[in-house]
Amino acid sequence: MADFTVGPGATVSQVLADSQKQILRIVRDTYLAHEQGQSVNPDSYFLRFPDKPNARVIALPAYLGGEVDTIGIKWIASFPDNVKQGLPRASATLLLNDYATGYPLACPEAAGISAARTAASAAIAAGELLASQEAVRVSFVGAGVIARTILDYLRANGITVADILVHDLDDTSAGHLMTYATEQHGVPAASGTLDDALTRDLVIFATTSAEPYVPTSTPLQPQQVLLNVSLRDLPPELLLRSNNFVDDIDHCLKAQTSPHLAEQLTGNRGFIPGTLGGILQGTAAPDPGKPTVFSPFGLGILDLAPGHHVLHEARARGAVVEIPDFIGESSRW
């Protein structure tokens, strides 16, 4: 109990690469556990900076019971200007604590865990919400690490992607995602306008936008699915013409997300019929006569559960760094 484990990023990345099916199962089970009240998931805390208005660091504390039975907190930085230097936008750590004593147990690098759980959430939602199981025409609005990882998890979740259209303000980023789709997954890919992207069966928003820019008049089609992963791309008026599902209603309706703006516009939450957990357990379903928007705010338990798996697997491989006697005093007297 006095020891502490560190999971290096390279180890975490390798375990995640080998565990996509398991991560999908873990994230699905975690949504169901949360829906059934087996978690504690308080509000996230946003640390912002006056001289860096587009940067933030977020703390996501959580407890998940069941087989995980662990406390955790993800500390994730989002610095969009990193992209200009060729650096990843996000970096993160995950601190895990023992539920019996509260003692710190481990700290795996967590940017990859965060991307994987976000992608698994998106892929699970797509699998549940897409009306047809035939080949899907997909568009990505935003072509960064999250978009790339979502593509991986769509395929891992058995979704057949017919082709991909990429829209990104940065041509280089768009080119990288198109090349990745073609070379790694054998999927035809092309770049296109935002209007083009909004016509696809499955539209995935993975940007750093701070406010809506998609036109209110966009003519979405029944049974079209929009994964509002970046949360702020869509105007509230568009949401009010759609089915809306979230990961957690209280969490998602804050911080000027698109659903939060819709709540402010209407004065109520009646436009949200349920959560992804409700869909998974069969207590909620979309109206097939409308398009559907899924807005995942991101829950700390979704980092905690995959992080628990990654740590267990990395230990089994002997690929962690053990720090003995990390706790200074092992007894009270």
Side-chain angles (χ1 to χ4, degrees):
M1 185 64 69
D3 298 342
F4 189 77
T5 303
V6 175
T11 297
V12 172
S13 295
Q14 187 58 59
V15 172
L16 289 171
D18 297 339
S19 304
Q20 290 180 358
K21 294 287 189 182
Q22 293 96 318
I23 297 299
L24 284 163
R25 175 188 57 78
I26 289 166
V27 170
R28 179 182 289 268
D29 290 348
T30 301
Y31 272 126
L32 288 168
H34 183 61
E35 195 74 13
Q36 295 160 11
Q38 299 174 26
S39 63
V40 180
N41 204 108
D43 287 346
S44 304
Y45 181 81
F46 288 71
L47 177 63
R48 299 185 185 276
F49 314 96
D51 60 338
K52 292 186 177 184
N54 67 340
R56 63 190 182 188
V57 188
I58 312 173
L60 291 83
Y63 164 73
L64 182 63
E67 294 181 2
V68 177
D69 197 30
T70 302
I71 305 164
I73 184 168
K74 180 176 73 172
W75 182 241
I76 182 165
S78 174
F79 279 54
D81 289 346
N82 284 357
V83 175
K84 300 174 185 177
Q85 305 174 54
L87 299 173
R89 171 188 59 83
S91 59
T93 56
L94 177 67
L95 181 63
L96 301 177
N97 293 67
D98 178 62
Y99 184 56
T101 65
Y103 284 9
L105 296 173
C107 182
E109 190 274 337
I113 292 170
S114 184
R117 64 85 149 152
T118 299
S121 171
I124 290 167
E128 296 294 324
L129 295 171
L130 286 166
S132 173
Q133 298 305 309
E134 298 178 356
V136 180
R137 301 181 73 220
V138 178
S139 63
F140 285 94
V141 181
V145 171
I146 296 300
R148 181 188 73 204
T149 312
I150 290 174
L151 176 57
D152 291 340
Y153 275 83
L154 289 175
R155 301 300 298 280
N157 199 34
I159 295 172
T160 302
V161 179
D163 58 24
I164 290 172
L165 186 144
V166 180
H167 175 72
D168 194 294
L169 298 179
D170 180 69
D171 291 339
T172 300
S173 295
H176 284 314
L177 183 59
M178 288 187 289
T179 299
Y180 183 82
T182 302
E183 294 184 353
Q184 297 298 318
H185 292 291
V187 176
S191 62
T193 66
L194 178 62
D195 287 344
D196 293 335
L198 294 171
T199 66
R200 292 301 182 104
D201 304 323
L202 177 63
V203 185
I204 302 166
F205 294 92
T207 74
T208 57
S209 178
E211 58 186 23
Y213 57 85
V214 173
T216 301
S217 59
T218 298
L220 300 179
Q221 302 302 311
Q223 301 186 358
Q224 193 175 8
V225 175
L226 287 74
L227 302 182
N228 186 27
V229 176
S230 40
L231 291 171
R232 296 169 180 85
D233 305 74
L234 301 173
E237 294 87 354
L238 191 150
L239 265 65
L240 297 176
R241 303 197 304 269
S242 308
N243 299 302
N244 289 278
F245 292 91
V246 299
D247 48 6
D248 183 284
I249 294 175
D250 288 335
H251 281 73
C252 196
L253 272 67
K254 61 167 66 72
Q256 302 300 302
T257 63
S258 297
H260 188 204
L261 296 178
E263 180 189 31
Q264 294 174 48
L265 184 63
T266 61
N268 63 72
R269 300 179 171 184
F271 61 94
I272 300 179
T275 63
L276 179 56
I279 291 173
L280 292 173
Q281 70 176 11
T283 56
D287 176 351
K290 296 180 179 181
T292 298
V293 177
F294 174 57
S295 301
F297 194 79
L299 305 174
I301 51 172
L302 296 178
D303 298 284
L304 200 163
H308 183 269
H309 165 80
V310 167
L311 183 66
H312 177 81
E313 179 62 26
R315 278 177 171 155
R317 298 182 185 190
V320 296
V321 178
E322 300 287 0
I323 303 175
D325 301 321
F326 180 78
I327 302 297
E329 294 188 19
S330 57
S331 63
R332 189 172 177 218
W333 293 101

